[in-house]
Amino acid sequence: MNLYPVQLRIAEPASLLIEWSDGRTQQFPLAELRDLCPCASCREKRKPAGSQPAALLPVLTPAETLPLGLVSMKPVGNYAYSIAFSDGHDTGIYTFEYLRELGHEVLRDEQEAAGSGE
């Protein structure tokens, strides 16, 4: 069974809701999506440091000091989304399968509350 998103929406606080073709709805905190970006450079950064010394004080761009937001979410074929974040990062391609693994199940009551803005 090929699962695919049927609805996408932003919910507070700073999270994405995806309703899937099987009726499930999942929530994705934006910071978590960003931290688990599947692009090559982010995967490399998540690897253990090994013999490289850790940076004591990383230098942040002005965009990285602001609250994280979702700038765009563009389909990639029929299998993924390319997500651009407000910190300027936009190289991650999130397959539907990967998104299903990352998502947190939303119960019907929670889904209705998120949709009504409560």
Side-chain angles (χ1 to χ4, degrees):
M1 175 179 191
N2 287 337
L3 296 173
Y4 54 90
V6 295
Q7 184 178 31
L8 307 170
R9 67 181 187 270
I10 297 294
E12 295 301 326
S15 63
L16 170 69
L17 288 176
I18 297 180
E19 184 179 334
W20 296 93
S21 58
D22 65 354
R24 281 179 65 187
T25 299
Q26 291 181 298
Q27 184 171 13
F28 304 82
L30 297 181
E32 193 173 302
L33 276 178
R34 175 63 181 89
D35 289 343
L36 296 173
C37 174
C39 80
S41 61
C42 288
R43 283 195 321 259
E44 191 66 30
K45 286 179 186 176
R46 286 192 299 267
K47 284 185 179 179
S51 61
Q52 295 182 355
L56 297 177
L57 296 172
V59 177
L60 301 176
T61 66
E64 291 174 315
T65 64
L66 301 173
L68 188 66
L70 188 79
V71 174
S72 68
M73 211 169 153
K74 298 176 184 173
V76 176
N78 291 323
Y79 71 97
Y81 284 106
S82 172
I83 301 177
F85 294 95
S86 60
D87 65 357
H89 189 71
D90 62 359
T91 57
I93 295 177
Y94 295 76
T95 64
F96 297 162
E97 183 178 324
Y98 186 55
L99 286 169
R100 279 294 281 227
E101 291 172 19
L102 296 180
H104 305 282
E105 190 75 24
V106 174
L107 302 176
R108 174 98 17 224
D109 292 342
E110 293 173 10
Q111 185 177 350
E112 290 171 3
S116 66
E118 293 177 6

